[in-house]
């Protein structure tokens, strides 16, 4: 009688920052890790989970019973990389492979340097981070978030990936969703704002309802919750222009909380009420669809007295 072959649950892939396993059959995270990480004790694997060093499709997972499906990628992050990331200020790496890095940026952190080339930015911190592996490594800017906007942001790790993303942005980036807290009670449950944006010499964006030679900007919004003073909106970008959401919320008559540049009257949260919540993209090299989510900031929930998303 022939011995039956043991079913394959995963295949391994190597990465500079850890070990990848591609899931082959449905299971849950802890049993999967116990099966694949031979030589490590149950307690050691639990510790790695608790420290947030296990990623499923780029998302840090700490739940032992997190369900796994065929095709998902589980990464175990090594201690060296985890320690390197702890030195980053105002940003957190949520996904990394050979071509891209996805981060979550805090409000108040610049995406890239402005006139002061010595300021701490997300870009120059990541540049230092990748150079630890090799001095010739670089980080390339694909898009930006305003300094006071928090949330998910994408960088490229080589010139080819940067070009592939920027030249095919609409085909590669399927969704960019923001959570916004605006002043006043928005009456409509949903709507679309379309205008043409131009930039002044003082770097402020101005909106025109007709084509005046500026850049076309289209923003879709949906009301989540509101009271007399504030409204929580889900905002989707069809185009990605500088300060687009901020300008369009002013056009709507409900400027973003804390955004005095575009009409806000107050700043009760001591920050801009705008957060990049979701990014969905087609990986420029593998062709795989990736989705990244970031929780709504606690201050947003507190201001509107709603539960965190």
């Amino acid at each position: 009688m022939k011995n039956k072959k043991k079913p394959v649950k995963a295949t391994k892939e190597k990465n500079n920052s850890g070990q990848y396993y591609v899931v082959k059959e449905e299971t849950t995270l802890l049993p999967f890790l116990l099966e694949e990480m031979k030589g490590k004790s149950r307690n050691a694997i639990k510790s790695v989970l608790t420290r947030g060093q296990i990623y499923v499709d780029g998302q840090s997972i700490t739940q032992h019973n997190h369900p796994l499906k065929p095709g998902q990628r589980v990464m175990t992050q090594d201690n060296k990389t985890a320690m390197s990331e702890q030195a980053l200020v105002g940003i957190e790496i949520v996904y990394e492979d050979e071509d891209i890095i996805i981060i979550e940026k805090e409000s108040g952190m610049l995406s890239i340097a402005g006139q002061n080339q010595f300021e701490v930015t997300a870009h120059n911190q990541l540049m230092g981070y990748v150079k630890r592996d090799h001095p010739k490594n670089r980080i390339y800017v694909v898009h930006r978030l305003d300094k006071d906007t928090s949330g998910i942001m994408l960088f490229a790790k080589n010139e080819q990936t940067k070009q592939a993303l920027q030249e095919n942005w609409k085909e590669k980036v399927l969704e960019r969703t923001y959570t916004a807290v605006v002043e006043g009670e928005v009456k409509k449950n949903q709507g679309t704002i379309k205008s043409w944006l131009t930039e002044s010499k003082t770097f402020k964006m101005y909106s025109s309802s007709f084509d005046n030679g500026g850049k076309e900007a289209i923003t879709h919004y949906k009301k989540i919750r509101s009271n007399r003073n504030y409204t929580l909106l889900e905002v989707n970008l069809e185009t990605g222009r500088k300060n687009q959401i901020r300008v369009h919320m002013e056009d709507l008559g409900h400027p973003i909380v804390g955004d005095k540049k575009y009409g806000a009257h107050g700043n009760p949260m001591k920050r801009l009420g705008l957060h990049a919540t979701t990014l969905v993209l087609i990986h420029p090299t593998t062709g795989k669809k990736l989705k990244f989510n970031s929780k709504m900031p606690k201050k947003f929930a507190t201001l509107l007295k709603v539960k965190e998303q």
Side-chain angles (χ1 to χ4, degrees):
M1 182 176 177
K2 293 183 179 180
N3 292 328
K4 290 184 178 180
K5 289 185 177 180
K6 191 175 181 180
V8 178
K9 290 190 177 180
T11 55
K12 294 182 181 180
E13 300 176 17
K14 286 192 175 181
N15 179 275
N16 287 339
S17 57
Q19 182 78 53
Y20 278 107
Y21 301 92
V22 180
V23 180
K24 293 297 182 184
E25 61 181 43
E26 287 191 12
T27 182
T28 53
L29 189 53
L30 182 57
F32 178 84
L33 294 173
L34 289 169
E35 176 69 27
E36 300 304 327
M37 296 174 70
K38 302 293 187 183
K40 287 189 177 291
S41 69
R42 187 182 185 90
N43 285 338
I45 292 174
K46 282 185 175 181
S47 295
V48 173
L49 265 170
T50 302
R51 290 196 300 267
Q53 289 176 240
I54 300 297
Y55 292 78
V56 178
D57 286 345
Q59 299 291 310
S60 177
I61 302 295
T62 57
Q63 295 88 357
H64 296 182
N65 63 346
H66 181 82
L68 298 177
K69 295 180 180 180
Q72 288 187 305
R73 302 210 309 172
V74 177
M75 188 188 87
T76 60
Q77 185 184 60
D78 60 41
N79 289 327
K80 180 183 175 182
T81 302
M83 290 176 68
S84 296
E85 290 183 13
Q86 288 172 6
L88 300 173
V89 177
I91 63 173
E92 179 184 353
I93 297 172
V94 297
Y95 177 85
E96 179 183 4
D97 61 28
E98 297 297 325
D99 300 299
I100 62 174
I101 288 185
I102 306 291
I103 68 164
E104 186 167 341
K105 184 183 82 68
E106 293 181 2
S107 175
M109 175 59 62
L110 282 167
S111 296
I112 63 171
Q115 293 181 342
N116 182 359
Q117 296 295 316
F118 299 100
E119 285 184 283
V120 177
T121 68
H123 178 251
N124 61 30
Q125 286 192 81
L126 290 174
M127 189 76 83
Y129 165 74
V130 298
K131 283 180 179 292
R132 291 171 192 163
D133 285 334
H134 195 285
K136 290 187 178 180
N137 286 347
R138 292 192 63 192
I139 288 292
Y140 297 83
V141 177
V142 178
H143 70 117
R144 305 179 189 185
L145 290 182
D146 294 337
K147 178 181 178 180
D148 295 318
T149 300
S150 55
I152 297 293
M153 190 175 176
L154 164 68
F155 288 90
K157 294 178 72 175
N158 53 68
E159 185 72 37
Q160 294 86 350
T161 300
K162 175 193 173 183
Q163 290 180 354
L165 286 166
Q166 290 186 332
E167 292 173 5
N168 304 281
W169 186 253
K170 287 187 177 181
E171 291 76 27
K172 296 296 183 185
V173 179
L174 306 182
E175 180 186 340
R176 289 174 69 192
T177 301
Y178 291 72
T179 301
V181 181
V182 300
E183 293 186 344
E185 184 178 2
V186 177
K187 299 299 182 183
K188 291 178 66 176
N189 288 328
Q190 59 184 23
T192 296
I193 304 165
K194 179 179 178 180
S195 71
W196 284 260
L197 304 184
T198 53
E199 187 172 10
S200 72
K201 292 181 180 179
T202 59
F203 306 109
K204 183 175 181 179
M205 303 302 292
Y206 286 90
S207 179
S208 170
S209 59
F210 59 90
D211 187 351
N212 61 352
K215 294 182 177 180
E216 185 182 43
I218 303 172
T219 304
H220 307 284
Y221 68 89
K222 183 169 66 175
K223 183 164 70 172
I224 301 172
R225 181 170 177 151
S226 66
N227 56 36
R228 289 184 179 181
N229 301 312
Y230 307 106
T231 301
L232 187 68
L233 296 175
E234 179 185 284
V235 182
N236 282 279
L237 291 179
E238 187 169 323
T239 58
R241 310 303 183 193
K242 181 180 178 180
N243 295 168
Q244 177 176 322
I245 297 175
R246 298 167 64 184
V247 178
H248 277 175
M249 292 303 103
E250 184 181 35
D251 285 350
L252 189 64
H254 297 276
I256 290 174
V257 168
D259 195 3
K260 291 187 177 181
K261 184 176 182 179
Y262 293 104
H265 297 93
N267 190 7
M269 297 189 296
K270 307 301 180 188
R271 60 153 293 170
L272 193 71
L274 188 60
H275 182 74
T277 310
T278 303
L279 175 68
V280 180
L281 73 149
I282 302 297
H283 195 288
T285 304
T286 67
K288 183 178 179 180
K289 183 178 177 181
L290 301 175
K291 183 175 183 178
F292 303 97
N293 292 305
S294 175
K295 287 185 179 180
M296 177 176 69
K298 290 182 180 179
K299 288 184 177 181
F300 289 22
T302 301
L303 193 65
L304 280 109
K305 297 179 180 179
V306 298
K307 292 181 180 180
E308 289 182 69
Q309 291 180 329

